[in-house]
Amino acid sequence: MPELFTGPDGEPRCSWSAAAPEFLDYHDKEWGYPVADDTRLFEKLCLESFQSGLSWRTILTKRENFRAAFAGFDYAKIAEFGDADLARLMEDTGIVRNKAKIEATINNAGRMAELVRAEGSLAAFVWRFEPKCEELAEPQTVSTSAASQSLSKELKKRGWKFLGPTTIFAFMQAMGLINDHAKGCVVRERVERVRSEFVRPGR
């Protein structure tokens, strides 16, 4: 079972939220809450792609820089990025200057436009892959799942890049497709209440 730590308010939380100053607020207010907004979902897919091989703290501390560099993660604008934008991004010290990941983000913006035309929204598409309760492992004990493998495979088939099953699992944890807060974590209960009232897109 994942360990807990006692937060500044005396309540138990997932131990990882104590690992860096930035994590507590992110853990309490964002991680695991269900999201239906396409821009936020697309942003998270992009940021998780950049996070691959790095720490989430690196990405979280640079998140506002990423938003500025990538037009607020407006996929329609990113899809139009050309060579000048790639050069600009490669010179931007406020983000992770990995050419393959930058090119993947621009590519994925184009694939996002195609997906929205075909499926109506990214939200309606990804929430189809929400696993059933009986399919879930114990919180924070696995880094991939059958659902993350299926979603990753489908995105790859549609031409998306840098979104393997582990990256997609982290996306699903963060965007509330699963509640992976540790049992006993005070936020797990909050997330579960929100999830119970959340209207799944496309249903």
Side-chain angles (χ1 to χ4, degrees):
M1 178 182 292
E3 294 181 3
L4 299 172
F5 103 102
T6 302
D9 58 0
E11 297 284 2
R13 286 172 171 78
C14 300
S15 59
W16 65 261
S17 64
E22 301 86 358
F23 285 175
L24 185 62
D25 197 55
Y26 176 71
H27 169 273
D28 284 6
K29 297 179 181 178
E30 293 189 54
W31 197 74
Y33 288 93
V35 174
D37 179 79
D38 268 13
T39 300
R40 284 190 60 197
L41 290 167
F42 180 67
E43 173 186 284
K44 189 60 174 172
L45 285 172
C46 295
L47 293 180
E48 288 294 349
S49 175
F50 273 101
Q51 189 270 332
S52 180
L54 303 171
S55 73
W56 175 240
R57 185 182 186 187
T58 298
I59 303 302
L60 187 59
T61 57
K62 293 176 179 286
R63 184 163 62 171
E64 290 304 322
N65 297 334
F66 274 105
R67 287 171 174 167
F70 284 96
F73 287 99
D74 181 328
Y75 69 87
K77 292 180 180 177
I78 299 171
E80 298 298 322
F81 280 10
D83 291 343
D85 295 288
L86 177 60
R88 168 180 61 81
L89 292 164
M90 287 299 296
E91 294 296 320
D92 190 339
T93 58
I95 66 170
V96 174
R97 294 180 291 174
N98 180 300
K99 186 177 181 182
K101 292 178 180 180
I102 291 170
E103 289 178 333
T105 299
I106 297 170
N107 168 79
N108 291 349
R111 306 295 74 74
M112 169 79 170
E114 295 168 356
L115 187 148
V116 170
R117 286 195 294 272
E119 306 292 343
S121 71
L122 176 62
F125 175 74
V126 299
W127 276 96
R128 291 180 206 160
F129 294 84
E130 179 187 10
K132 296 180 174 64
C133 291
E134 60 268 23
E135 298 171 347
L136 299 175
E138 286 295 305
Q140 298 174 43
T141 60
V142 299
S143 59
T144 64
S145 67
S148 77
Q149 291 168 1
S150 295
L151 178 51
S152 172
K153 183 178 180 180
E154 183 60 28
L155 289 171
K156 183 177 181 180
K157 189 166 75 174
R158 292 170 182 252
W160 295 61
K161 298 180 179 179
F162 264 95
L163 292 171
T166 301
T167 298
I168 291 296
F169 187 78
F171 164 81
M172 297 177 89
Q173 287 175 304
M175 297 287 97
L177 281 87
I178 60 173
N179 182 357
D180 219 31
H181 283 275
K183 292 179 179 178
C185 170
V186 66
V187 181
R188 181 179 178 85
E189 299 169 14
R190 299 173 192 166
V191 165
E192 206 53 48
R193 285 196 296 272
V194 175
R195 279 177 49 82
S196 69
E197 299 171 0
F198 179 69
V199 178
R200 272 62 176 171
R203 297 184 191 174

